Amino acid sequence: MMRKNLARYALLVALAMALSWLESMIPLPGLLPGMKVGLANLVVVFALYRMSPRDAASISLVRVLLASAAFGSAYSFAYSLVGAALSLAVMAGLKKLDQFSIVGVSAAGGVCHNIGQLLVAAAVLETVRLGWYLPVLLASGTLTGAAIGAAGGIVVERVK
């Protein structure tokens, strides 16, 4: 059983890494600094709904570590880690309430991911003047999170 779980973890981390790489290679016109679709979060949403919050956290943490080492820097690690942790905590809490759809849970996760990253940016730059960017990040987090949630709902339904 442990080998099966390890293989599942490895497969999901590899998929998340591939989606992170794919996203980093495809320029999306019109996106402002710091905005991404968050394709790798599809894997985290899947793990949250098909496995457990602890499994989703483990997969998310390993993905953040590996993606930062492969494609990023210490700063990108900090941004990703805080965003991913806040996002997952909120998504797990909302899922547990059983009051929201997967789309709503993921949209909240997208918003919280962006809030976490904005908090890191404010700490690194030692200024709260970045607050003007919050409405933009809230809108983008809602839209991309909802899109990931919609895709995640399809994957969760089809993959048992």
Side-chain angles (χ1 to χ4, degrees):
M1 186 66 157
M2 187 161 176
R3 283 187 198 177
K4 185 177 181 180
N5 283 339
L6 183 60
R8 181 181 295 162
Y9 276 30
L11 179 66
L12 291 174
V13 168
L15 179 58
M17 286 292 297
L19 291 171
S20 292
W21 174 80
L22 179 66
E23 187 169 48
S24 74
M25 299 307 290
I26 300 173
L28 295 175
L31 292 184
L32 296 172
M35 286 188 194
K36 293 191 325 185
V37 175
L39 293 176
N41 292 324
L42 181 59
V43 176
V44 175
V45 168
F46 174 82
L48 184 61
Y49 277 84
R50 279 287 173 231
M51 298 166 78
S52 73
R54 176 182 239 153
D55 294 329
S58 297
I59 291 164
S60 183
L61 176 62
V62 172
R63 193 235 2 129
V64 167
L65 286 167
L66 293 176
S68 295
F71 318 123
S73 65
Y75 286 117
S76 65
F77 172 71
Y79 287 107
S80 295
L81 184 63
V82 172
L86 185 57
S87 173
L88 184 59
V90 168
M91 288 194 302
L94 291 178
K95 180 185 179 287
K96 188 174 183 176
L97 290 176
D98 204 26
Q99 299 287 319
F100 300 92
S101 70
I102 192 169
V103 173
V105 167
S106 182
V111 166
C112 289
H113 193 279
N114 287 349
I115 289 171
Q117 290 189 326
L118 190 63
L119 291 172
V120 171
V124 167
L125 298 174
E126 298 179 356
T127 182
V128 294
R129 288 189 169 160
L130 298 173
W132 69 268
Y133 204 37
L134 185 60
V136 174
L137 291 177
L138 294 178
S140 71
T142 300
L143 292 173
T144 59
I148 293 299
I154 293 167
V155 173
V156 165
E157 283 295 314
R158 292 189 179 178
V159 178
K160 299 295 178 188

